[in-house]
Amino acid sequence: MDYKKSNAPVNTVTRNIMDLCDETQNIYESVAIIAKRANQISVEIKQDLSKKLQEFASYNDSLEEVFENREQIEISRYYEKLPKPTLIATQEFIENSIFWRDPSKEYRPAATTVNEL
């Protein structure tokens, strides 16, 4: 899911934690899933922001050439106003748009024999 198109709230929202463990039956497992997704979103946002700010990088150390760039400030403000990665990940988890699996509970189909075919 694209973090720019997320409908996650910008401010912290009080939630019933029992609603978060409906699918996993374990609140700790739900929190771990949300935390891993939040880390992925955070890395994606950081890479995107760094890529955009690289265009404004100045390699000269002269103080005379250092000035405020309005475009750079607007880009920074845009990213500051985005919802936090944890809120985006929580919203994705509630909307069931996160794919996750537990390898210890992996589904293994029963072996079929030639006679069954």
Side-chain angles (χ1 to χ4, degrees):
M1 178 178 223
D2 190 13
Y3 63 89
K4 294 177 185 176
K5 297 178 184 176
S6 175
N7 59 352
V10 180
N11 296 330
T12 305
V13 176
T14 304
R15 299 186 189 275
N16 183 0
I17 61 170
M18 298 313 292
D19 292 342
L20 293 177
C21 64
D22 286 343
E23 192 171 334
T24 61
Q25 306 303 320
N26 187 340
I27 187 64
Y28 301 108
E29 189 174 343
S30 298
V31 170
I33 293 166
I34 292 170
K36 287 180 183 181
R37 178 62 183 140
N39 286 338
Q40 291 173 349
I41 293 169
S42 177
V43 168
E44 183 181 343
I45 290 173
K46 185 175 180 180
Q47 288 175 346
D48 193 25
L49 177 61
S50 296
K51 185 173 67 172
K52 288 184 179 183
L53 292 179
Q54 278 296 329
E55 299 171 3
F56 302 107
S58 174
Y59 299 106
N60 299 337
D61 291 337
S62 173
L63 290 176
E64 298 168 357
E65 295 181 12
V66 176
F67 60 93
E68 291 184 1
N69 189 337
R70 179 155 305 284
E71 293 175 6
Q72 185 177 4
I73 293 170
E74 291 299 319
I75 290 172
S76 297
R77 284 187 182 158
Y78 171 76
Y79 279 93
E80 287 175 359
K81 291 180 182 178
L82 283 176
K84 303 294 181 216
T86 308
L87 294 172
I88 297 172
T90 304
Q91 187 67 30
E92 288 179 0
F93 186 78
I94 290 171
E95 294 174 352
N96 292 327
S97 58
I98 297 178
F99 173 77
W100 58 275
R101 64 182 171 91
D102 186 359
S104 65
K105 298 176 185 175
E106 190 70 30
Y107 172 73
R108 295 183 184 156
T112 57
T113 61
V114 177
N115 295 337
E116 293 177 352
L117 300 174

